[in-house]
Amino acid sequence: MDQSTHKPKIAKSDAEWRAQLTPEQYYVTRQHGTERAFTGPYWNEKRAGLYTCVCCGTALFRAETKFDSRTGWPSFFQPVAADAVAEHEDRSWFMRRTEVRCATCDAHLGHVFKDGPKPTGLRYCMNGTALDFHADEDAAGA
């Protein structure tokens, strides 16, 4: 996690986000929703590549940090850079969790838990709907 993803903050109106995103993407990223386990994209993706924010394209996670958490959501043990994501306290559903958002556009991505593998011990449990995936072989062929 040595590179920086520092980008200018993106702010759009609700109408602009609705026009850009599918209804499911809007629900997850702008309304802090959650896709059902084992139904969203990328939970079972195994190719090398880069996961970016579906709203603004910010680089978020590398496939090398993805692991099978058996939860039905894409899980990673660290973001590409410390400034790629922002953490916020989430007290919804009578729980206390740490919400993860894109640091560039404030899109809700998922939550982070302290039950992940080494080296970080963290599990960034993300909604696949909030992500885009760019396979390394796609980038090489471009």
Side-chain angles (χ1 to χ4, degrees):
M1 192 166 55
D2 55 357
Q3 64 185 26
S4 173
T5 61
H6 182 68
K7 294 170 81 173
K9 282 282 195 186
I10 294 174
K12 294 183 179 184
S13 70
D14 188 60
E16 288 173 309
W17 286 124
R18 283 185 186 273
Q20 174 185 329
L21 303 168
T22 68
E24 179 77 4
Q25 290 168 336
Y26 179 83
Y27 166 70
V28 169
T29 62
R30 307 324 303 177
Q31 295 183 311
H32 302 262
T34 301
E35 66 200 14
R36 287 189 345 255
F38 302 101
T39 64
Y42 314 124
W43 68 270
N44 202 27
E45 177 63 59
K46 301 201 183 336
R47 294 176 292 167
L50 178 68
Y51 292 86
T52 61
C53 176
V54 73
C55 294
C56 69
T58 294
L60 299 171
F61 300 96
R62 286 283 318 160
E64 293 81 29
T65 66
K66 189 172 188 276
F67 66 97
D68 183 4
S69 64
R70 300 182 184 194
T71 61
W73 290 281
S75 296
F76 306 86
F77 60 79
Q78 75 182 25
V80 297
D83 63 352
V85 298
E87 296 181 4
H88 300 270
E89 184 177 31
D90 177 0
R91 290 183 176 237
S92 64
W93 299 100
F94 306 104
M95 294 183 275
R96 190 172 182 174
R97 303 179 289 176
T98 303
E99 177 191 13
V100 177
R101 297 183 198 168
C102 173
T104 302
C105 71
D106 212 30
H108 170 75
L109 303 171
H111 292 86
V112 62
F113 303 95
K114 294 180 180 179
D115 61 1
K118 292 181 181 182
T120 65
L122 299 174
R123 173 174 52 100
Y124 288 85
C125 188
M126 303 292 98
N127 288 285
T129 303
L131 305 173
D132 272 333
F133 177 69
H134 308 276
D136 284 349
E137 61 265 19
D138 293 345

